[in-house]
Amino acid sequence: QVHLVESGGGVVQPGRSLRLSCAASGFNFNNYAMHWVRQAPGKGLEWVTLIWHDGTYKYYADSVKGRFTISKDSSKNTLYLQMNSLRAEDTAVYYCARAFCSSTNCGADYWGQGTLVTVSS
Amino acid sequence: DIQMTQSPSSLSASVGDRVTITCRASQDLGNYLAWYQQKPGKVPNLLIFAASALQLGVPSRFSGSGSGTDFTLTINSLQAEDVATYYCQKYNSAPLTFGGGTKVEIK
């Protein structure tokens, strides 16, 4: 059974950094690309970033490019999101999601429960 | 970047009704389009991938159609448990944009 558990959220001041983690189990983490998707309070879903199964390719939304970095540690079955220079508009629930891919085209089939990040002074 | 436009933004229908939600892309996506359901306070759930393929475990009253720029999610015989917000997502290339969502309520 696929299980994804995010952690690391909390309240952080603007301009500071935070690292989110997503512990994966129930599938071969080495073989899957992974996403981060966020949802601001009362708003819709916003795709944030995707990492290839082997980490060779990474893609980012323009809103986070240059500030956020996705990575995965297959030895720990863990996905990470390093978030720097945080802004108030980054306040959201952050979900990690397993990717299903057809060639290089990847949607999201299993989602974690999410972790809330609040950027506020 | 490709823009994704969902309509309507909300709808109210009766139990047993047929409900249709549309998603329009500003450029050709082929069939790289997914639909997700997010019930209130819950995590998004994949319903449809490749525009028309039903994800395992999803009730057969849900169906998807379309290709290129115009896509449709249909709920045949709406049930009370289908109250949710529905999102389309393009996944042909980054950015993997979601539509704005359609909130479905029971009349």
Side-chain angles (χ1 to χ4, degrees):
Chain A
Q1 183 180 355
V2 175
H3 200 46
L4 300 167
V5 180
E6 301 92 338
S7 60
V11 180
V12 60
Q13 293 179 328
R16 303 298 292 264
S17 298
L18 204 61
R19 188 177 82 158
L20 305 183
S21 301
C22 170
S25 60
F27 64 101
N28 189 337
F29 189 67
N30 289 334
N31 292 349
Y32 284 86
M34 297 291 294
H35 300 273
W36 286 99
V37 177
R38 68 186 182 183
Q39 187 168 34
K43 302 297 185 183
L45 300 173
E46 180 186 13
W47 174 80
V48 175
T49 179
L50 167 71
I51 186 169
W52 227 234
H53 67 284
D54 58 1
T56 52
Y57 293 99
K58 303 174 185 181
Y59 304 93
Y60 298 92
D62 286 346
S63 57
V64 306
K65 202 172 293 182
R67 300 187 300 123
F68 289 13
T69 301
I70 189 172
S71 62
K72 62 189 311 234
D73 185 337
S74 292
S75 69
K76 296 181 179 179
N77 281 5
T78 301
L79 177 72
Y80 300 101
L81 183 64
Q82 177 67 43
M83 304 185 295
N84 299 331
S85 303
L86 282 161
R87 306 167 180 167
E89 55 264 36
D90 295 318
T91 295
V93 173
Y94 285 74
Y95 298 102
C96 70
R98 192 181 79 167
F100 67 89
C101 298
S102 172
S103 182
T104 59
N105 309 298
C106 300
D109 58 2
Y110 288 92
W111 298 60
Q113 291 301 308
T115 187
L116 176 62
V117 173
T118 302
V119 183
S120 173
S121 54
Chain B
D1 292 347
I2 297 175
Q3 305 304 311
M4 302 298 294
T5 303
Q6 251 183 271
S7 61
S9 57
S10 65
L11 67 89
S12 182
S14 299
V15 171
D17 282 354
R18 184 181 189 185
V19 168
T20 299
I21 299 167
T22 64
C23 183
R24 176 163 289 175
S26 59
Q27 296 178 35
D28 190 345
L29 304 181
N31 71 337
Y32 295 112
L33 191 285
W35 290 97
Y36 302 86
Q37 175 194 61
Q38 186 177 31
K39 295 183 178 181
K42 300 297 185 181
V43 174
N45 180 49
L46 175 67
L47 297 177
I48 302 282
F49 63 97
S52 61
L54 195 67
Q55 174 71 345
L56 285 173
V58 174
S60 59
R61 63 181 179 274
F62 292 93
S63 64
S65 63
S67 67
T69 61
D70 293 301
F71 302 88
T72 300
L73 173 69
T74 299
I75 310 173
N76 282 299
S77 189
L78 183 71
Q79 301 299 302
E81 61 263 33
D82 300 334
V83 167
T85 301
Y86 294 84
Y87 297 92
C88 62
Q89 184 198 24
K90 62 172 283 292
Y91 62 95
N92 61 319
S93 62
L96 308 181
T97 311
F98 288 90
T102 297
K103 187 174 184 179
V104 174
E105 298 176 322
I106 300 294
K107 195 179 292 183

